[in-house]
Structure formats: structure tokens, C-alpha cells
Amino acid sequence: MVVPVESTGDTSMQLAVDSELHRRLVYGDESALAEAYTAYGSLVRRVAVRVTRSAVAAEDVAQEVFAQLWSRPYAFDARRGSLRSWLSMLAHRRAVDWVRSEARHRKDARADDSALHAIPDAAPGPDEALVDRERSLLLHSALAELPQPQREVVHLAYFAGRTYRQAAVELGIPEGTAKTRLRTALRTLAESLADPPDPALERGA
């Protein structure tokens, strides 16, 4: 069992422990990974929580950090520092990536919401009943012409009030796929609804 040496202990001893643990990881010793997680798991989560402000995100970060330690143990060089310091640095980087990813997700969600709101309401208004009726027909016609995968995402996002993330879960597809299908569908619908027919011209006025 690896027992991490705190800052008040012998640094050279800790480096020796890290070096041996690293050697075992390189040789695929699963017990070495378990020992590393026992020794440094709480440290990694603390670092991640400070950055993400989320205990759930910190757990995800910890899983990613130790998954990398297991899959790429050679990325750690015991001659350049302690495993404790390296894992702390890796946790910080992963946590920052998580924060940036969440910011992008929120931005994309706002953009998707704006695009959805740009689609005209299918219900006709009192002053433009005929135009709205035409728009409604166009909307349903355009929806019907969408490929089924895109139509499913639009139905969940526009009519069922789901985000693309929720739609991805319900459809059992990756978030990126759901987002791409939704955006492609919205562009197609926007083009179809860009120039609704003028009722006056239809009557020959």
C-alpha cells in the first residue's frame, strides 16, 4: 500500500515511493492504480472542486485523471517531481477544461434557444390569420421533409421543450450528434420559412 509522504516528511523517500509505483503502473499492475487512487484520490478531487465548484464534476475529473495515469503512465516522470504534484497539475488542467466545456455548452444552448425562438409560432394571430396559416402549413411541410433523425431532435427540442443534451439521452445518441442534427434541421427550416407567400399576391391583388 502506498502511503504518501506529506510535505513535512522525507521528499526523497516520497520520490522513491512514486518511482516504484510508477514502475508497477508501467507494467500494468492494477493494484498500483488502486494504491495511487487511495493515496491521491482525495487530493485530486479537492483540486477539481476548487476549480469547478462542483462535487459531481470533481468526481468526473478524478476518473479522467486516474484513467490517464493508467493508460499513459509513461507521461509521468518521477525524476522531475512527485506523483502528488503531477496529479495535482493534471487535475487542475482537467478541471479547467471542464469549466471551459461547460461555458461552451451554455453558449451553444443559448444559441440553439435563439434559433428555436426564430421559428414562427404555428398558432395564427388575430391580425395575420391567413399569413400565419400559411406559415403553419409551411412549417409542418418543412418538418415532414426533414430526415427522420433530424425530425426527432427538432420534435424533442421545439415541441417537447428538451435541450439537445436531454434529446441526446432520450434518443441514445452522443450530444455532439444531437447538436449537429438540431442545427442542421434549424438551418433547413429557417431557409424554408424565410419567404412565406404573400396572401395578397396569391389572390392576384
Side-chain angles (χ1 to χ4, degrees), residues 121-137 197 199 203:
D121 191 344
D127 298 328
E128 299 179 340
L130 185 57
V131 172
D132 285 342
R133 187 159 52 249
E134 293 291 344
R135 285 179 178 272
S136 178
L137 291 172
R203 295 194 301 268

Side-chain angles (χ1 to χ4, degrees), residues 20 60 89 142 156 161-162 174 181 183 200:
E20 172 61 17
D60 291 343
M89 176 194 68
L156 289 173
R162 307 290 197 275
R181 289 179 183 176
R183 288 182 170 178

Side-chain angles (χ1 to χ4, degrees), residues 28-114:
D29 185 346
E30 293 183 1
S31 65
L33 179 64
E35 290 178 20
Y37 187 86
T38 299
Y40 300 114
S42 60
L43 168 69
V44 168
R45 288 191 294 272
R46 286 198 304 272
V47 172
V49 164
R50 284 200 297 268
V51 177
T52 65
R53 307 294 184 184
S54 167
V56 175
E59 289 293 340
D60 291 343
V61 168
Q63 289 180 15
E64 292 179 3
V65 166
F66 286 99
Q68 179 170 337
L69 178 63
W70 175 248
S71 62
R72 299 180 56 200
Y74 48 82
F76 166 65
D77 187 350
R79 297 169 300 180
R80 302 181 61 181
S82 69
L83 184 59
R84 178 188 182 89
S85 298
W86 186 77
L87 289 174
S88 296
M89 176 194 68
L90 189 58
H92 185 270
R93 288 179 178 175
R94 292 280 182 169
V96 169
D97 288 343
W98 183 91
V99 171
R100 290 173 176 169
S101 177
E102 282 299 297
R104 286 195 296 270
H105 281 313
R106 287 193 294 270
K107 181 178 179 181
D108 289 344
R110 289 194 295 270
D112 290 340
D113 287 343
S114 297

Side-chain angles (χ1 to χ4, degrees), residues 3-15 18 39-40 43 46 82 84-85 88:
V3 179
V5 178
E6 301 297 334
S7 57
T8 55
D10 190 337
T11 302
S12 62
M13 182 184 299
Q14 184 61 62
L15 291 176
D18 287 347
Y40 300 114
L43 168 69
R46 286 198 304 272
S82 69
R84 178 188 182 89
S85 298
S88 296

